[in-house]
Structures are given as C-alpha cells and as structure tokens.
Amino acid sequence: MASAVTSRWLLVLRFALAAYLLLGALMIRQKPGLQYDEALHVIGAVHMRHLPHQELTLPHDPDTWAPVFGRWFPLMTLRYTGAVKDYLCWPLFAQFGTRTSIVRMVSLLLGAVGLWGMAALLRQQVSVSAAAAFALLIAINPSNVSATVFDNSAVGIVMASLGLCCLAISKYLNRGTPLAAFALGLTMGFAIWARANTAWVVGAFLVAVFLVLRRQALVPLSHWIAAAIGGIVGGFPFLMYQIVSRGGTWEALSIFARADTLHDRLLTRLVMLSETLLFDREHRAMWNGPT
C-alpha cells in the first residue's frame, strides 16, 4: 500500500515538472520582445561568436572580460552577476543561430533544474508527498514561470544554482564522503558566481546548519577542506574577477547604496512581499509598462 501511495506522489512530481515546462513553452510561444535583462545576459555569447579576438565593444563594467590565448572571455555579465548564460547559449547560437527562443528555452530548463533539485532534497529529507506538493505549487505559480522564462534579474540561473546546491546537499547527507563535500562546495561556489547576493543564502544556510545540528555539524576536517576546494573551483571566475577588479563586486554595494531609513525599507519590503504571488509590478517593469 505504501509503495502505491509513493508511486502516485512520484507521478504528481513528474506531472509538476511537465506542467512547468508546458506553461513555460506556451509563454515562449507568445513571442514577446526581448526585455532588457534577457538580452544583457546573453550579449557575451553573441560577441564570442562573432568577435572572439577582442573585448566586448558595447558598454560594460570594467574588468568583466579577460583574454586567454588571444581570445576574450567574460568572467561576469555585471559586477554581481556571472556570465553563466553566455557560456550556455554560446554553443547553441553557433549551432542554431542567435534566436530569442533559444535564450528562453535555456532559461526554462534552468528553472526546471532548480525545481527538480529542491524537490529532490525535500523528497529525501521530508517525504515524497511534500516534494510533490512543493513542486506542483511552484511549477504552476505564474510568477515563477514568467520570472524564469523571461529571466528578469537572472532569476533562472539563481533557481538552477539553488537546485544544484540542494542536489549536492542531498548527496552529501546520503553519502557523507569528501567527494560529496567537494561537490557541495562546488555548487555553492557556482551559485555565488551566478549571482553574488546568493552568498547571503549560502551564509544563512551555514549558520542554520550550526544552530540546528550543533555537534552533528562537526564533520571531519577533510570534508571542510574538500568543500572549500570545491567552492574555489565553482566560484573561480568570480574570484578571478575580484582579483582583477580589486573587489569590483564589493564596489557595487556602494553604487547601489540607499539612504532610506529602516522604517522606509521595511515598508518597501512589505509591499514587495504582498506582490510575491502576483508579481504585477515586475511584469510591468520588464517591458517598461505603465505604473
């Protein structure tokens, strides 16, 4: 009986992933024009295809490109966003041409990776029913589908990187080996490269581990070393950019600093929280719509 119930929930989980892909494909089929962030995060892929022997000629943040054996490669798209989609779309553009549908299909698949990874961790640590319910609710949420498909603010790669982190956590909890620890560090380093403010999520996760698990978090030193090496490898482009730019990402913190009072910030965030299910303001902003 238990196995039959599990099979049903697994079917719901697969249905959730299929529903997400179908809803995303239907959005792509509507063919809205490229919005700013969509184009920005693949501009490097277009440049590497056509002008690989020179730095990006369009305006971009300094030190975000680096020469390697006479060819130029992007380290970051922005000071705080890695050039992940450039490298994912580059070979696809070379094979099929520079197409908006390719950009959006890549974003859609990134969202699916995130959904799958987070559901896998829930399945292992909670239950298959919890994983299926989570996946279904997120899969049909219009905010999630549109934000990943049209990739405003690099949401697609953030979801994918968090999903990969969840998969790595699941593997480490299951195996508990230095190699699994290396993979966990690798995904966390990659997540920070993908979008630097993911470091807050990674940091919060590490604090939560120590607060909740306490002595159980005291794993062998070799595991910590393996995870640290993995983090360096996964976040290598991000670290290289910090060295070359002398902390360009931290400089961006001052660029975007605001002088609002704590009261004003809390009110702004309450409004943002109220919009998490509808996402209306962000939808309008993506295509410069009316307020």
Side-chain angles (χ1 to χ4, degrees):
M1 179 67 180
S3 60
V5 172
T6 300
S7 297
R8 292 193 193 99
W9 281 113
L10 283 174
L11 187 62
V12 173
L13 184 56
R14 296 189 185 102
F15 172 78
L17 287 168
Y20 167 77
L21 292 172
L22 176 61
L23 290 171
L26 290 174
M27 282 191 172
I28 293 171
R29 186 174 174 79
Q30 294 178 46
K31 299 181 179 179
L34 274 173
Q35 55 100 5
Y36 181 81
D37 277 357
E38 281 188 292
L40 179 65
H41 286 101
V42 296
I43 195 172
V46 178
H47 182 83
M48 285 189 290
R49 182 186 174 200
H50 296 287
L51 298 169
H53 298 291
Q54 64 184 78
E55 188 177 1
L56 181 66
T57 53
L58 294 174
H60 61 282
D61 287 326
D63 304 314
T64 51
W65 285 69
V68 180
F69 300 118
R71 297 176 69 98
W72 284 80
F73 296 93
L75 297 174
M76 307 287 287
T77 298
L78 299 169
R79 296 169 190 259
Y80 51 88
T81 306
V84 179
K85 283 187 71 177
D86 286 329
Y87 290 108
L88 291 176
C89 291
W90 179 24
L92 296 175
F93 286 170
Q95 183 67 33
F96 303 106
T98 306
R99 299 176 182 273
T100 302
S101 57
I102 291 176
V103 177
R104 289 172 173 166
M105 287 303 297
V106 168
S107 300
L108 178 64
L109 293 176
L110 288 172
V113 169
L115 194 62
W116 173 50
M118 287 183 272
L121 180 60
L122 279 172
R123 179 185 175 189
Q124 184 200 57
Q125 294 299 309
V126 185
S127 67
V128 65
S129 58
F134 163 83
L136 186 59
L137 287 171
I138 299 299
I140 63 174
N141 186 306
S143 297
N144 173 66
V145 180
S146 62
T148 50
V149 168
F150 302 123
D151 206 18
N152 197 38
S153 299
V155 170
I157 190 57
V158 169
M159 290 293 288
S161 61
L162 289 178
L164 291 174
C165 285
C166 288
L167 280 173
I169 293 169
S170 177
K171 294 297 182 183
Y172 180 75
L173 292 174
N174 186 39
R175 298 177 182 177
T177 63
L179 183 60
F182 173 84
L184 178 54
L186 184 76
T187 57
M188 288 184 175
F190 174 79
I192 293 172
W193 174 44
R195 190 172 173 92
N197 52 4
T198 308
W200 294 110
V201 179
V202 172
F205 163 73
L206 293 174
V207 170
V209 166
F210 282 104
L211 289 176
V212 176
L213 299 180
R214 299 181 182 179
R215 289 187 178 182
Q216 294 178 351
L218 299 177
V219 299
L221 180 60
S222 60
H223 291 201
W224 285 106
I225 294 173
I229 294 172
I232 292 171
V233 174
F236 184 74
F238 178 77
L239 295 173
M240 284 297 299
Y241 168 68
Q242 303 312 317
I243 294 171
V244 173
S245 67
R246 298 181 180 179
T249 298
W250 316 121
E251 185 182 346
L253 292 176
S254 62
I255 294 174
F256 295 107
R258 298 183 62 177
D260 297 350
T261 64
L262 179 61
H263 177 264
D264 290 336
R265 294 185 186 187
L266 286 174
L267 287 179
T268 300
R269 280 152 181 75
L270 282 173
V271 172
M272 293 169 68
L273 178 63
S274 71
E275 293 179 340
T276 52
L277 293 179
L278 297 177
F279 218 49
D280 284 349
R281 187 205 306 256
E282 198 71 17
H283 280 154
R284 292 194 297 271
M286 283 165 65
W287 283 280
N288 197 30
T291 57

